[in-house]
Amino acid sequence: MQVLNPYTLKEGYIEKVIKESENTYTFHIRTQEQAFPGQYNMLYAFGIGESPITIASKGSGYVVHTVRAVGDVTRHLDSLKEGDLLYYRGPYGNTWDIEKAYNRDLLIISGGLGLAATRWIFEEAIKGTHPIKKVIHLYGSKDTQSLLYTYLYEQWAKRAHFEIIVNSPSKEWKGKVGFVTDLIRDMSLSENTIVFMCGPDPMVKACKDVLREKGVTEENIYASLERHMKCSVGTCGHCMIGPYFVCKDGPVFRYDTIKEFFERKEV
Amino acid sequence: MESKGKDKERGGNYWLGTLEKNSIEDLFKNLTKLYKVYAPKLKDGFISYDWVSSIHELSFGYRNHESPGYYSLERQEGYFTYTHPVDSFKKLLRPSEEVLLTIKIKNNRIVFEDSAQADKVALFDVRSCDLSALKIMDKVYLNAPYRDKHYETKRENLFIVAVDCAFATKTCFCSYMNTGPHCKEGFDILLTELEDVFIVQVASSRAWEVLEGIPLGAVTEKHMEEKRAIEERVRESMKFGVNTQGLRDALYSKMDIEHYENVGKRCLACTSCTQVCPTCFCFDIVEITDTDLTTSRRVRVWDSCFSPSFATVHRFNIRESVASRYRQWLMHKFAYWIDQFGSFGCVGCGRCITWCPVGIDIREEVSRVAGS
């Protein structure tokens, strides 16, 4: 029997590179691969290794990846240029279930680079093809220089309530200052709002607490998690959170299912 | 009692017979003609799986004594005079180092060489605990849609000769995990050593190739009684185990108890337990590159949830304390595993107890946590 090696890599041509900030780049990679919002690819750097990177968006014939140089693999990836070849495998993982937001309000919360994991489902939600009552997107960033996709804000703001808050802004910043939780506190939310969020663990936990105060239940909150991953198919054990493999059972989890493991220290 | 199945007619998939003690040599000879044989071998003062070409290399006539942090061997009359080797089939199916992919740069493009291939291999002398572990590993590695090609290639043609244990060591507790002491399924041939003969159970048609030309006798009720008596004796001799009744739920409700801190103070996080464990499957993938930067190998190596870097995300370690790593291991084996794969991840082989340098006994820790 012919068995496919799950570690075999695919080749993608880099059509476009956008510099987001000093250490963060966005790549458009040519591919015909089917993928859905919430999923990720394992991007490969020759001689260094792989890194799981969320699919930030998809256009016709290409996927979008945003990579921040924080480790050996990502530092190499950020040195790639237009016309280079990128090797990857995927897509892996589950997806944001947009139907959960049908006939309700959808609140998307993003923290830092987490915006890359929510961008595609946000774009999908504001296309106008899904029966969602209202789409709100709150985005928190540690500083002004790290803001992602600044070139898209104008068009987003036309189609949804899109708000940004920065924690340590530059002198020129005229927007709100603080944490993303401050934005949630200032919002009036309908009780059956569906929440999709992605950000650092402490942000997810803090947002959940504020949302609970606002009457949103944990069954209506979905979070995309980030963990150490090597295989991405549930066999290397690194990404486990309680009984779940983030790589294949996630990365998107309904909050109440992971709560007891996510909120407990060192699980 | 007459032989079961297609009676004495050879070729059936379920057949019971007897084998004269000295015929084991012919059986082994046939096996080595047809397969590369991986079997328990006496090496450096302990019994460990290795490639074996002659029956004289096997560890017949040695008995192992094991207790927490203790292992020794003594001479004893007989053939299968030991329990399981210090290591398991894991070494064969999931080697400690295994190339998943060889990547070469040619004309600025990357080309791959897929290295999965396997000889015709027979595992000789697998005990009940390890047969259960093999079944568990199959669930981990042969799950759709991403079947592990390297595991599957080695696993699919694997011929298995299982052997029933005639005694248990002080660290064995398979009867508590419902994985032994005697083998029920998952083998081609099963041998049970009696006083005068071996009982042979044939469970596949290819097993008959191995038994070619070997005289086999009829099994009597007396033989079966002796087999049952051995099983009962081995079961009875395991005095200390784990009460699995309601264990998963008890452990889920006790995740915050202080006892984990106590174990954390004794545990050296040396990873010994996870290396000898036949079901510990975690691995890391490291990249090994030639100095001329034209060839790179993606190598799968054993990893352990006790390693300090195991659960790091951008240098932030989710399980910093040793106590939390021990909890992860214990919870995985006895609780998470049930949700992931439908069974316990522990088969009661006791290797982790024997090979813990400070003698931490998983039976004791599980009982303390669950019973607290």
Side-chain angles (χ1 to χ4, degrees):
Chain A
M1 190 178 75
Q2 177 66 29
V3 189
L4 288 172
N5 185 346
Y7 300 99
T8 303
L9 299 164
K10 297 163 193 167
E11 188 179 85
Y13 173 82
I14 300 174
E15 289 183 336
K16 193 174 174 186
V17 180
I18 303 160
K19 184 174 180 175
E20 301 284 348
S21 72
E22 212 38 66
N23 63 355
T24 309
Y25 290 81
T26 291
F27 301 91
H28 289 201
I29 296 149
R30 198 182 291 162
T31 175
Q32 298 304 324
E33 213 72 53
Q34 209 183 25
F36 299 95
Q39 292 190 298
Y40 63 96
N41 280 321
M42 293 295 274
L43 306 191
Y44 174 68
F46 178 82
I48 306 171
E50 291 175 331
S51 191
I53 305 289
T54 191
I55 302 172
S57 187
K58 197 168 185 292
S60 87
Y62 68 92
V63 290
V64 179
H65 280 297
T66 298
V67 181
R68 179 164 291 167
V70 287
D72 297 338
V73 174
T74 46
R75 252 193 295 278
H76 168 84
L77 293 171
D78 274 4
S79 70
L80 293 173
K81 307 269 177 298
E82 275 175 23
D84 283 346
L85 293 169
L86 177 71
Y87 292 85
Y88 69 99
R89 58 189 175 95
Y92 297 111
N94 66 356
T95 64
W96 299 107
D97 183 0
I98 196 153
E99 290 183 20
K100 289 277 184 304
Y102 281 9
N103 307 312
R104 294 170 150 199
D105 292 346
L106 172 64
L107 169 63
I108 295 172
I109 305 167
S110 312
L113 203 55
L115 180 62
T118 55
R119 171 180 156 184
W120 190 5
I121 193 65
F122 175 51
E123 289 172 338
E124 186 65 33
I126 59 176
K127 262 191 346 200
T129 54
H130 298 280
I132 300 167
K133 281 189 181 161
K134 188 164 75 178
V135 180
I136 308 154
H137 192 162
L138 309 177
Y139 171 37
S141 177
K142 62 175 183 216
D143 49 42
T144 346
Q145 305 90 277
S146 305
L147 286 168
L148 298 179
Y149 314 131
T150 46
Y151 43 92
L152 295 172
Y153 297 168
E154 208 182 303
Q155 84 185 63
W156 285 352
K158 278 182 204 154
R159 316 186 96 173
H161 177 125
F162 177 64
E163 231 181 304
I164 303 169
I165 191 159
V166 177
N167 189 32
S168 318
S170 62
K171 279 177 198 151
E172 298 77 39
W173 179 250
K174 295 198 171 53
K176 289 193 175 171
V177 177
F179 291 109
V180 76
T181 41
D182 302 333
L183 293 181
I184 307 170
R185 266 193 204 96
D186 296 342
M187 301 249 18
S188 66
L189 292 176
S190 77
E191 257 180 36
N192 67 350
T193 300
I194 277 283
V195 180
F196 290 172
M197 65 171 147
C198 185
D201 285 3
M203 182 213 92
V204 170
K205 166 75 171 52
C207 289
K208 190 252 2 180
D209 289 341
V210 178
L211 288 164
R212 291 288 294 118
E213 286 165 25
K214 292 254 165 193
V216 180
T217 62
E218 283 156 358
E219 293 86 63
N220 287 332
I221 300 172
Y222 291 79
S224 175
L225 301 188
E226 179 177 23
R227 286 293 181 274
H228 193 59
M229 287 178 196
K230 288 289 179 174
C231 73
S232 62
V233 294
T235 57
C236 81
H238 284 87
C239 68
M240 273 174 63
I241 171 164
Y244 302 106
F245 291 102
V246 173
C247 68
K248 68 168 184 167
D249 301 324
V252 179
F253 290 96
R254 205 175 80 183
Y255 195 85
D256 60 317
T257 64
I258 50 158
K259 181 184 174 165
E260 69 169 307
F261 310 107
F262 184 74
E263 293 187 1
R264 194 173 259 125
K265 220 179 134 225
E266 297 197 292
V267 174
Chain B
M1 192 182 80
E2 283 299 302
S3 300
K4 286 184 179 173
K6 291 189 175 179
D7 289 326
K8 278 183 237 170
E9 187 191 315
R10 292 187 168 206
N13 278 346
Y14 184 85
W15 192 89
L16 270 177
T18 59
L19 176 77
E20 290 302 319
K21 287 268 171 102
N22 52 19
S23 294
I24 188 86
E25 201 159 338
D26 298 325
L27 186 149
F28 197 81
K29 229 178 250 166
N30 281 356
L31 196 65
T32 50
K33 267 183 220 151
L34 295 160
Y35 298 94
K36 242 182 117 178
V37 181
Y38 206 59
K41 194 172 173 177
L42 184 71
K43 206 172 69 178
D44 304 330
F46 52 83
I47 297 170
S48 154
Y49 275 113
D50 204 347
W51 297 110
V52 170
S53 53
S54 144
I55 194 162
H56 304 293
E57 296 173 63
L58 297 179
S59 36
F60 288 162
Y62 285 90
R63 176 169 174 147
N64 54 320
H65 294 275
E66 302 187 19
S67 54
Y70 178 84
Y71 180 91
S72 74
L73 291 175
E74 72 168 338
R75 293 308 300 254
Q76 189 185 299
E77 269 308 296
Y79 291 87
F80 299 99
T81 48
Y82 44 88
T83 60
H84 50 63
V86 301
D87 43 25
S88 69
F89 63 85
K90 186 168 88 175
K91 231 170 50 165
L92 175 75
L93 296 182
R94 266 286 325 277
S96 53
E97 279 187 22
E98 174 174 36
V99 178
L100 294 176
L101 207 62
T102 302
I103 300 162
K104 291 187 172 169
I105 293 189
K106 274 183 188 156
N107 309 322
N108 285 326
R109 279 193 127 86
I110 279 176
V111 288
F112 312 108
E113 272 166 31
D114 225 332
S115 43
Q117 50 169 306
D119 298 317
K120 246 176 113 185
V121 171
L123 255 177
F124 180 81
D125 192 353
V126 186
R127 304 306 170 102
S128 190
C129 52
D130 284 352
L131 278 183
S132 303
L134 189 56
K135 206 170 140 186
I136 290 172
M137 282 296 229
D138 287 350
K139 269 192 211 162
V140 176
Y141 284 103
L142 303 179
N143 64 337
Y146 305 111
R147 298 163 75 89
D148 192 282
K149 183 178 176 176
H150 292 79
Y151 180 90
E152 185 165 30
T153 312
K154 288 190 276 282
R155 176 72 178 99
E156 63 186 352
N157 294 315
L158 194 65
F159 188 91
I160 295 172
V161 179
V163 173
D164 280 331
C165 280
F167 73 97
T169 72
K170 282 184 190 150
T171 58
C172 290
F173 61 109
C174 62
S175 61
Y176 294 84
M177 299 312 296
N178 205 19
T179 56
H182 277 193
C183 304
K184 303 281 182 272
E185 54 174 4
F187 49 80
D188 293 277
I189 293 176
L190 169 65
L191 298 172
T192 312
E193 187 172 357
L194 305 182
E195 189 69 28
D196 301 321
V197 290
F198 293 106
I199 295 180
V200 190
Q201 188 178 322
V202 177
S204 72
S205 45
R206 62 180 180 168
W208 291 106
E209 294 168 19
V210 174
L211 293 164
E212 182 74 46
I214 296 173
L216 298 168
V219 170
T220 64
E221 185 52 43
K222 205 167 150 266
H223 290 134
M224 294 310 285
E225 244 169 57
E226 195 183 338
K227 178 179 156 106
R228 279 193 293 273
I230 294 169
E231 182 171 7
E232 207 40 46
R233 195 185 67 218
V234 180
R235 188 184 300 278
E236 285 295 305
S237 72
M238 285 181 261
K239 299 287 184 213
F240 182 36
V242 166
N243 179 8
T244 56
Q245 199 70 40
L247 182 58
R248 168 185 166 273
D249 295 347
L251 292 176
Y252 269 123
S253 67
K254 306 277 170 61
M255 286 182 74
D256 299 317
I257 68 162
E258 215 190 317
H259 183 63
Y260 284 116
E261 300 297 327
N262 301 337
V263 193
K265 280 177 198 149
R266 284 181 282 141
C267 175
L268 309 173
C270 71
T271 77
S272 217
C273 50
T274 56
Q275 291 184 53
V276 290
C277 178
T279 67
C280 267
F281 57 74
C282 291
F283 62 80
D284 193 3
I285 302 175
V286 294
E287 189 93 7
I288 296 176
T289 315
D290 288 356
T291 43
D292 66 356
L293 297 179
T294 58
T295 306
S296 194
R297 283 166 207 85
R298 297 193 49 67
V299 185
R300 165 152 72 187
V301 297
W302 287 0
D303 203 349
S304 168
C305 51
F306 285 96
S307 300
S309 61
F310 189 77
T312 50
V313 182
H314 333 290
R315 297 181 187 86
F316 166 72
N317 192 359
I318 287 170
R319 286 188 284 276
E320 189 82 43
S321 73
V322 174
S324 73
R325 293 181 223 159
Y326 190 86
R327 178 176 67 186
Q328 168 68 16
W329 190 61
L330 186 146
M331 286 298 292
H332 192 202
K333 292 287 169 198
F334 293 92
Y336 302 158
W337 212 294
I338 298 175
D339 295 311
Q340 293 171 342
F341 304 107
S343 72
F344 285 110
C346 172
V347 294
C349 71
R351 289 182 176 100
C352 60
I353 308 169
T354 302
W355 296 101
C356 176
V358 293
I360 294 174
D361 190 330
I362 186 87
R363 297 169 294 188
E364 209 173 308
E365 308 312 339
V366 167
S367 307
R368 276 196 202 169
V369 173
S372 61

